[in-house]
Amino acid sequence: AQSVTQLGSHVSVSEGALVLLRCNYSSSVPPYLFWYVQYPNQGLQLLLKYTSAATLVKGINGFEAEFKKSETSFHLTKPSAHMSDAAEYFCAVSPGFTGGGNKLTFGTGTQLKVEL
Amino acid sequence: NAGVMQNPRHLVRRRGQEARLRCSPMKGHSHVYWYRQLPEEGLKFMVYLQKENIIDESGMPKERFSAEFPKEGPSILRIQQVVRGDSAAYFCASSPPSTSEQFFGPGTRLTVL
């Protein structure tokens, strides 16, 4: 079984400040990990993914995340927040692609607010 | 290459009616996943299909819900005799074979009156 915990359902940062969104996972098999962003009334867009290669993963829009197996974490960061980053962010885990599919287990999401 | 298409984008049904949600995967994608997002919650997996086959339906409610992905045409998620608790956003995602990345559609927002 797999699960994801996102600490902080709402995070507020100032424009230009560091963004840190936390994600911890539980998995009985080596996981694949993902961060998605959702803008209001839209679908999910993939920001980045970890699939057992480099532990520091760079994604779109200046985001990156580091896989730490010892801490079972996959926190999302961005050095400098922009107003356009305001959205909801979801961390997700999957067991890696298998013949049985690659279903994602999502966290409950973190709403990021960026203030002037 | 068009993205994943879902229609309708918004659907209103009265209790007891049927809801049909359609998903057209990206070209070349033979795998379809359906997820449900209840208000203030994350997405929950419902079902995984390949062409003409249901591979994993472990997240589907036991009654009233069904899904198909025929050889020709879109994938359909069908909800019979809808109840207010079915009000949610339903997302479809598609992927090509042997890849971990899923591409999401814009979702169908179902409201049950």
Side-chain angles (χ1 to χ4, degrees):
Chain A
Q2 300 186 305
S3 66
V4 171
T5 301
Q6 290 184 242
L7 292 175
S9 58
H10 292 82
V11 170
S12 184
V13 300
S14 299
E15 191 175 33
L18 171 72
V19 176
L20 171 61
L21 303 182
R22 299 179 187 274
C23 172
N24 288 87
Y25 70 91
S26 172
S27 178
S28 57
V29 298
Y32 285 6
L33 291 156
F34 306 80
W35 274 100
Y36 284 88
V37 61
Q38 184 180 31
Y39 296 98
N41 297 317
Q42 294 187 26
L44 278 71
Q45 180 182 9
L46 180 68
L47 280 176
L48 48 80
K49 62 180 179 181
Y50 165 78
T51 57
S52 74
T55 56
L56 182 61
V57 181
K58 293 187 184 299
I60 62 171
N61 302 339
F63 285 94
E64 64 180 40
E66 186 172 7
F67 172 69
K68 291 187 176 180
K69 184 178 179 180
S70 61
E71 299 177 8
T72 60
S73 69
F74 191 58
H75 301 330
L76 181 71
T77 61
K78 182 174 180 178
S80 178
H82 191 273
M83 296 296 289
S84 61
D85 294 327
E88 188 150 26
Y89 292 80
F90 292 96
C91 181
V93 63
S94 81
F97 187 79
T98 68
N102 191 39
K103 67 182 181 184
L104 297 168
T105 300
F106 285 88
T108 51
T110 297
Q111 186 71 46
L112 175 66
K113 182 178 179 181
V114 182
E115 299 174 319
L116 287 171
Chain B
N1 189 5
V4 177
M5 310 280 284
Q6 289 189 250
N7 66 81
R9 293 291 307 274
H10 299 273
L11 182 61
V12 179
R13 285 287 178 266
R14 297 189 181 280
R15 281 178 294 170
Q17 292 184 319
E18 179 179 286
R20 281 184 180 239
L21 288 62
R22 295 175 181 76
C23 169
S24 296
M26 290 178 69
K27 186 177 181 180
H29 289 194
S30 56
H31 297 209
V32 166
Y33 301 79
W34 284 93
Y35 295 86
R36 177 166 64 174
Q37 185 178 31
L38 293 168
E40 307 300 321
E41 294 187 18
L43 281 75
K44 299 273 195 255
F45 167 78
M46 299 182 75
V47 62
Y48 162 53
L49 310 102
Q50 295 178 17
K51 285 284 188 180
E52 299 184 279
N53 285 298
I54 297 174
I55 307 301
D56 180 354
E57 56 181 347
S58 58
M60 287 279 270
K62 294 287 186 284
E63 298 177 347
R64 303 186 297 107
F65 285 73
S66 62
E68 63 177 10
F69 189 16
K71 185 176 180 180
E72 302 290 339
S75 176
I76 306 285
L77 180 68
R78 182 182 177 205
I79 311 172
Q80 295 178 289
Q81 300 176 329
V82 296
V83 300
R84 288 210 173 123
D86 297 332
S87 294
Y90 292 82
F91 290 94
C92 164
S94 73
S95 71
S98 303
T99 181
S100 60
E101 185 169 349
Q102 296 176 29
F103 296 81
F104 281 80
T108 293
R109 280 152 184 85
L110 172 65
T111 301
V112 179
L113 301 177

